[in-house]
Amino acid sequence: MVGVLIIAHGDLGRSLADCAKHILGREPDNLAVMAVDKTEDPERKLAEAQGLVDKLEQGEGVVVLTDMYGGTPSNIASRLIRPGRVEAVAGASLPMLVRALCYSSQPLEIVVSKAITGGLEGVLYIIPGEGNAAI
């Protein structure tokens, strides 16, 4: 199973993980979260992230989801990349995370692709009156 690591600013990653657990109705054992605060040393956080990747890696690879490209979390994620073993995707969102977890039994390249399409397809303009919720 592909491991999924979220590296994000503050509590965003933990919140995404909690929401994904609620949606899936289970606690994924292949999911880890690392929060990054602006006061923390990036080198120390990189070592922490590498430890989480090592823990998640069960031979199928790890996808690292990070919130915003160019921020400290994505800079850490980019330093974890080992092509074909550890891949990273920026723009983490709930649809992206749920998709990555739902396909985590597939090969790493499929999980990466599903995560990206989940994120892209999760952005929609909602036409007034066409939602499912009755108000």
Side-chain angles (χ1 to χ4, degrees):
M1 184 160 295
V2 171
V4 179
L5 172 61
I6 304 170
I7 302 176
H9 290 91
D11 294 330
L12 178 61
R14 174 57 40 213
S15 295
L16 288 171
D18 288 345
C19 291
K21 289 175 201 171
H22 172 76
I23 290 168
L24 297 173
R26 62 181 172 85
E27 180 142 356
D29 57 2
N30 61 331
L31 174 63
V33 176
M34 186 180 85
V36 177
D37 186 83
K38 64 182 176 183
T39 62
E40 295 178 296
D41 175 18
E43 291 301 320
R44 190 177 63 74
K45 296 303 286 185
L46 175 62
E48 180 182 338
Q50 185 60 61
L52 290 170
V53 166
D54 293 345
K55 183 177 175 184
L56 289 168
E57 172 60 277
Q58 302 295 312
E60 307 294 326
V62 175
V63 61
V64 180
L65 306 180
T66 185
D67 52 1
M68 185 174 74
Y69 183 76
T72 302
S74 79
N75 291 335
I76 292 169
S78 71
R79 293 176 65 187
L80 296 169
I81 295 171
R82 303 289 176 268
R85 303 299 317 147
V86 180
E87 303 287 356
V89 178
S93 65
L94 188 56
M96 177 185 287
L97 175 58
V98 169
R99 191 77 67 91
L101 290 169
C102 286
Y103 286 90
S104 62
S105 62
Q106 300 292 314
L108 179 60
E109 64 270 15
I110 298 295
V111 177
V112 169
S113 175
K114 293 295 185 181
I116 292 169
T117 57
L120 292 171
E121 293 170 0
V123 177
L124 298 169
Y125 174 73
I126 300 175
I127 298 171
E130 292 196 10
N132 289 331
I135 299 177

